[in-house]
């Protein structure tokens, strides 16, 4: 991403690559087999300051822009590592930075930047409402200087490996709110002393090693000081963060796609069958070339969305289109790479099947491709909404 | 304490290198270059010593083509303070490189000159000792432990079958071996800070080489193996082949 930009991106890329090379395929294969969280990898990234890239310098971070964060996540994926275990710390940051109070930022950000606190969990999804976020049933009721939270969240990744969670809850019932998107609020929840008490975390076993969970809140008390921004405005704050999330995930997809294209090309050059490299067969080489072109085209849209975001310009459409095109490219590249490797793609030793499973997720999360199509059709092209 | 770390840019050990058809050198296409891994131990040692003391300066000196600046930036990102690049193209013998490095170091206010014990590309293992000789300084090579108290230094060297402990006084030249420390990753802040650190580039002309470089050749392709039989029946023929053909018994 952003090759040739003179903002230190080349050096950041080399730095990330150097770090990631210390976590080779075996490391990820073992984590995958044991369904274990890549703690050592996350600690190394944190210690080197990469997860604090977006935190302003005054709070101890690197104060870099979204483009730099894209470079970091793209490179993590491209080397065969998996940034899904930590990317939330980057995109959650946006909501806190833009809408959090000064006292909240002073209290939490320096410790997040120093790696003493992990801000990796984002509590929005619920079992009954899917993408229809306005129908969430988790409630936060004001009681003196506290809010008391009841409800259930699902698909909450990394909550067992995070100290803090950004949580969306209803502070006014949907029916009593001026509009469905009003009446929701965002809280910065400190999970550390609550898990096993008012918070219960239950891991969900999944196709890929993603450390995702269900989280139950049973009378969790959150100080009113931990309300982010104004009560009832939470949905708007979350939406703001979602554009950053889309762009960062799209950058990860470009990283995955480049991983597959590079691996496939390398394998096709070296693997000899019938006395010549299989990559000499156009049946093998054309799909690799096609995947490469698709990837590079998607990368341009990701770069454009990130640049708009950094310029403070509206980027909802571009962020969504980047996520769609990049996840489409990574999935196509994954399929191509499986085909190029043939039977060896199924051997866990090569890491192709693991990446294949991992990149499939981006067709669905954090937003399903259908909802992006719907967004572009209705919001960009003015077609009537189907729901 | 002022430390100079001499560093070399080398092809990554994970890279597949090819010799150019005329045998004059390595084909640079597709080759990734890195800081010589042994030099990273030297760098880490210098940076840690400075951090622990809370004072001092770490200067990186490298000799090579202009692209070597990228490797110096990496060292600056790890925590070195300034860099000097002696620009010269092509490959050179150890003596002429050592001469140029010694000329650069001579006259500088330096307490410790560190090197990796060898470069992983040509594996000559000569430059640190030669530089020490040129500068008239004590030299400890292949060091896996280094303690410094005031002007007195104690180094643990790796030798065949064990360790040798040597004492010397500063200033001195030390070459470092794996085991001395675990080099750090450059941090994101370090990478950003490195862009603002001074890096001086200067052309140098080396002394004429004392060794004539003839050519590089790819290693010969291994000969195909031969199956001499199966099970116990194969043993006599295997022994015969190992003795009479391979000459290893």
């Amino acid at each position: 991403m952003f090759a040739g930009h003179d903002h230190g991106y080349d050096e950041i890329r080399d730095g990330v690559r150097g770090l990631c090379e210390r976590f080779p395929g075996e490391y990820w294969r073992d984590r995958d087999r044991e369904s274990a969280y890549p703690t050592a990898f996350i600690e190394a990234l944190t210690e080197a300051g990469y997860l604090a890239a977006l935190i302003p310098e005054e709070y101890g971070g690197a104060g870099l822009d979204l483009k730099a964060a894209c470079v970091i996540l793209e490179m993590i994926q491209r080397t065969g590592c998996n940034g899904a275990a930590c990317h939330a710390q980057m995109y959650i940051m946006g909501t806190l930075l833009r809408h959090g109070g000064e006292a909240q930022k002073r209290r939490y950000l320096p410790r997040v930047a120093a790696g003493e606190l992990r801000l990796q969990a984002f509590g929005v999804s619920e079992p009954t409402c899917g993408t229809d976020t306005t129908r969430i049933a988790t409630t936060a009721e004001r009681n003196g200087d506290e809010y008391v939270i009841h409800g259930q969240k699902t698909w909450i990744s990394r909550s067992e490996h995070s100290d803090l969670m950004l949580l969306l809850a209803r502070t006014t019932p949907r029916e009593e709110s001026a509009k469905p998107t009003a009446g929701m609020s965002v809280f910065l929840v400190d999970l550390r002393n609550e898990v096993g008490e008012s918070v219960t975390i239950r891991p969900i076993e999944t196709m890929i090693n993603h450390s995702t969970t269900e989280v139950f809140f049973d009378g969790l008390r959150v100080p009113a000081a931990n309300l982010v921004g104004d009560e009832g405005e939470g949905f708007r704050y979350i939406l703001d963060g979602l554009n950053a999330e889309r762009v960062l995930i799209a950058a990860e997809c470009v990283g995955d796609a480049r991983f597959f294209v590079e691996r496939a090309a390398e394998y096709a050059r070296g693997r000899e069958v019938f006395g010549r490299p299989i990559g000499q067969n156009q049946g093998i080489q054309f799909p690799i070339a096609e995947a490469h072109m698709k990837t590079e085209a998607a990368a341009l849209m990701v770069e454009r969305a990130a640049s708009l975001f950094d310029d403070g310009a509206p980027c909802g459409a571009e962020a969504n289109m980047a996520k769609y095109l990049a996840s489409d490219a990574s999935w196509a590249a994954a399929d191509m790479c499986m085909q190029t490797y043939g039977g060896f793609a199924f051997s866990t030793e090569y890491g192709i099947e693991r990446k294949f499973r991992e990149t499939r997720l981006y067709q669905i999360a954090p937003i399903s491709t259908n909802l992006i199509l719907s967004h572009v059709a209705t919001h960009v092209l003015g077609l009537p909404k189907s729901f | 304490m002022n430390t100079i770390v001499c560093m070399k840019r080398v092809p990554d050990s994970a890279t597949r290198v090819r010799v150019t058809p005329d045998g004059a050198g390595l084909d640079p296409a597709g080759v990734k270059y890195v800081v010589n891994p042994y030099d990273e131990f030297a760098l880490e040692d210098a940076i840690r010593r400075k951090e622990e003391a809370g004072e001092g300066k770490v200067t990186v000196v490298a000799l090579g083509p202009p692209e070597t600046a990228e490797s110096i930036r990496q060292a600056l990102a790890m925590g070195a303070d300034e860099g000097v690049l002696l620009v010269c193209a092509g490959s050179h013998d150890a003596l002429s490189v050592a001469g140029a490095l010694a000329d650069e170091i001579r006259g500088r206010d330096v307490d410790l000159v560190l090197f990796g014990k060898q470069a992983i590309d040509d594996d000559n293992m000569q430059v640190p000792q030669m530089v020490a000789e040129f500068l008239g300084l004590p030299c400890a090579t292949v060091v896996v432990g280094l303690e410094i108290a005031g002007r007195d230094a104690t180094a643990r060297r790796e030798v065949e079958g064990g360790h040798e402990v040597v004492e010397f006084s500063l200033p001195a030249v030390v070459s470092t071996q794996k085991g001395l420390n675990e080099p750090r990753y450059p941090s994101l802040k370090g990478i950003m800070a490195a862009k603002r650190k001074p890096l001086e580039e200067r052309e140098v002309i080396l002394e004429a080489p004392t060794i004539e470089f003839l050519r590089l050749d790819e290693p010969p392709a291994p000969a195909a193996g031969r199956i001499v039989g199966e099970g116990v029946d194969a043993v006599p023929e295997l022994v015969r082949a190992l003795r009479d053909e391979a000459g290893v018994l």
Side-chain angles (χ1 to χ4, degrees):
Chain A
M1 303 249 101
F2 302 102
H5 282 244
D6 183 29
H7 288 96
Y9 300 144
D10 289 346
E11 290 85 353
I12 293 174
R13 195 175 296 115
D14 287 347
V16 174
R17 191 203 302 271
L19 188 155
C20 288
E21 279 172 357
R22 300 195 193 184
F23 297 90
E26 303 94 278
Y27 174 81
W28 294 98
R29 196 159 65 237
D30 291 346
R31 300 288 84 67
D32 193 43
R33 191 183 300 121
E34 299 156 10
S35 294
Y37 188 71
T39 307
F41 175 69
I42 302 307
E43 281 175 0
L45 277 179
T46 306
E47 199 178 307
Y50 287 110
L51 299 187
L54 295 173
I55 299 180
E57 282 178 294
E58 53 181 313
Y59 303 114
L64 296 175
D65 54 17
L66 196 69
K67 292 195 275 295
C70 283
V71 168
I72 293 168
L73 288 177
E74 186 229 333
M75 210 57 222
I76 290 174
Q77 302 300 110
R78 190 170 175 176
T79 56
C81 297
N82 189 2
C86 61
H87 55 202
Q89 185 138 316
M90 299 245 198
Y91 63 71
I92 291 176
M93 206 56 69
T95 302
L96 193 56
L97 283 176
R98 288 193 177 179
H99 307 291
E102 188 57 28
Q104 285 169 348
K105 292 189 215 172
R106 291 245 165 259
R107 182 156 174 218
Y108 291 108
L109 289 183
R111 299 189 61 202
V112 172
E116 295 162 13
L117 278 180
R118 299 164 299 173
L119 173 54
Q120 294 282 14
F122 194 34
V124 177
S125 301
E126 296 191 5
T128 53
C129 62
T131 313
D132 192 358
T133 306
T134 67
R135 293 192 185 274
I136 60 168
T138 298
T139 57
E141 198 177 329
R142 181 86 187 225
N143 184 355
D145 286 343
E146 294 176 327
Y147 284 87
V148 182
I149 296 175
H150 287 94
Q152 177 187 355
K153 296 285 175 184
T154 191
W155 304 119
I156 309 308
S157 299
R158 304 161 297 271
S159 58
E160 291 176 296
H161 305 280
S162 187
D163 302 305
L164 305 173
M165 172 189 282
L166 209 64
L167 175 75
L168 186 72
R170 275 237 165 251
T171 37
T172 309
R174 191 173 188 268
E175 304 71 40
E176 294 170 26
S177 301
K179 51 184 178 176
T181 53
M184 289 178 277
S185 303
V186 172
F187 298 91
L188 192 58
V189 174
D190 194 333
L191 293 169
R192 283 172 297 172
N193 296 318
E194 296 299 333
V195 175
E197 302 290 327
S198 61
V199 176
T200 305
I201 298 178
R202 197 179 294 162
I204 303 174
E205 279 194 40
T206 50
M207 177 177 89
I208 54 167
N209 181 25
H210 203 69
S211 310
T212 199
T213 65
E214 292 177 287
V215 184
F216 300 86
F217 302 94
D218 184 14
L220 166 69
R221 294 175 177 280
V222 177
N226 283 28
L227 171 72
V228 176
D230 294 327
E231 188 182 301
E233 296 294 317
F235 187 71
R236 188 164 63 81
Y237 303 156
I238 295 278
L239 275 191
D240 243 15
L242 292 183
N243 283 337
E245 181 199 48
R246 305 271 193 272
V247 177
L248 289 172
I249 300 280
E252 289 188 353
C253 291
V254 171
D256 275 351
R258 286 179 174 155
F259 167 90
F260 290 121
V261 169
E262 284 163 10
R263 289 294 173 98
E266 190 189 346
Y267 186 77
R269 277 193 298 268
R271 167 84 172 150
E272 291 195 9
V273 181
F274 297 117
R276 59 186 196 162
I278 59 168
Q280 204 172 337
N281 303 315
Q282 292 184 330
I284 296 287
Q285 65 177 221
F286 282 8
I288 304 177
E290 204 173 6
H292 173 70
M293 288 188 278
K294 216 168 174 173
T295 303
E296 296 311 302
L300 291 175
M301 183 58 88
V302 181
E303 292 187 7
R304 177 165 164 72
S307 298
L308 287 171
F309 185 94
D310 284 335
D311 293 343
C315 65
E318 287 79 5
N320 275 298
M321 291 192 286
K323 156 71 174 53
Y324 182 96
L325 293 171
S327 64
D328 197 36
S330 78
W331 180 233
D335 195 44
M336 172 284 290
C337 194
M338 289 289 283
Q339 202 66 24
T340 306
Y341 269 71
F344 290 102
F346 287 84
S347 159
T348 56
E349 188 187 339
Y350 291 84
I352 304 300
E353 56 79 39
R354 173 179 64 80
K355 272 279 181 191
F356 176 87
R357 284 182 282 128
E358 285 173 4
T359 213
R360 182 62 180 82
L361 174 69
Y362 298 127
Q363 299 284 304
I364 296 167
I367 180 76
S368 131
T369 47
N370 268 355
L371 278 152
I372 295 180
L373 290 169
S374 160
H375 176 88
V376 171
T378 57
H379 287 79
V380 179
L381 302 174
L383 294 163
K385 209 169 170 178
S386 64
F387 53 90
Chain B
M1 190 165 81
N2 292 333
T3 309
I4 288 178
V5 179
C6 295
M7 194 195 80
K8 187 175 183 185
R9 174 179 164 89
V10 297
D12 187 354
S13 56
T15 236
R16 199 176 295 166
V17 293
R18 289 202 172 79
V19 174
T20 53
D22 62 0
L26 296 181
D27 182 354
V31 176
K32 206 182 117 211
Y33 289 88
V34 295
V35 173
N36 177 41
Y38 293 111
D39 300 348
E40 289 188 343
F41 302 122
L43 263 170
E44 179 64 33
D45 186 80
I47 296 165
R48 270 189 210 183
R49 229 169 265 289
K50 183 192 122 178
E51 285 172 349
E52 279 161 23
E55 53 156 6
K57 190 168 73 173
V58 177
T59 306
V60 176
V61 177
L63 185 146
E67 301 79 51
T68 309
E70 291 166 25
S71 305
I72 297 181
R73 287 277 174 222
Q74 239 170 293
L76 297 176
M78 281 174 74
D81 298 291
E82 57 179 30
V84 177
L85 170 56
L86 305 173
V87 182
C88 64
S91 64
H92 310 278
D93 72 343
L95 195 62
S96 57
V97 170
L101 290 174
D103 286 346
E104 181 60 35
I105 296 167
R106 194 177 292 116
R108 281 177 177 262
D109 176 18
V110 62
D111 304 293
L112 185 61
V113 180
L114 293 175
F115 285 84
K117 66 161 177 138
Q118 72 195 90
I120 63 162
D121 53 357
D122 55 24
D123 279 335
N124 273 328
M125 218 175 185
Q126 293 181 345
V127 172
Q129 299 88 303
M130 288 175 170
V131 168
E133 184 66 23
F134 278 134
L135 297 175
L137 296 180
C139 180
T141 56
V142 201
V143 166
V144 292
L146 179 63
E147 281 169 33
I148 296 176
R151 306 303 288 168
D152 299 323
T154 307
R156 201 151 44 85
R157 306 183 54 239
E158 214 172 68
V159 292
E160 185 68 36
H163 288 145
E164 178 185 72
V165 177
V166 293
E167 293 179 348
F168 50 94
S169 48
L170 302 185
V173 174
V174 169
S175 81
T176 58
Q177 160 73 322
K178 182 175 182 161
L180 179 65
N181 53 44
E182 182 68 33
R184 68 192 65 193
Y185 317 105
S187 72
L188 181 55
K189 279 189 199 174
I191 291 169
M192 301 314 288
K195 295 172 71 67
R196 300 189 288 269
K197 289 180 177 174
L199 199 174
E200 185 188 340
E201 295 187 31
R202 225 171 322 114
E203 299 270 342
V204 287
I205 298 179
L206 301 192
E207 295 283 332
T210 52
I211 289 178
E212 189 189 351
F213 168 82
L214 297 180
R215 56 178 286 115
L216 283 176
D217 283 315
E218 297 271 359
R226 175 158 60 90
I227 295 171
V228 296
E230 273 185 29
V232 177
D233 296 345
V235 173
E237 171 56 14
L238 183 62
V239 170
R240 190 204 60 75
L242 288 172
R243 186 183 58 218
D244 299 344
E245 293 177 26
V248 295
L249 287 183

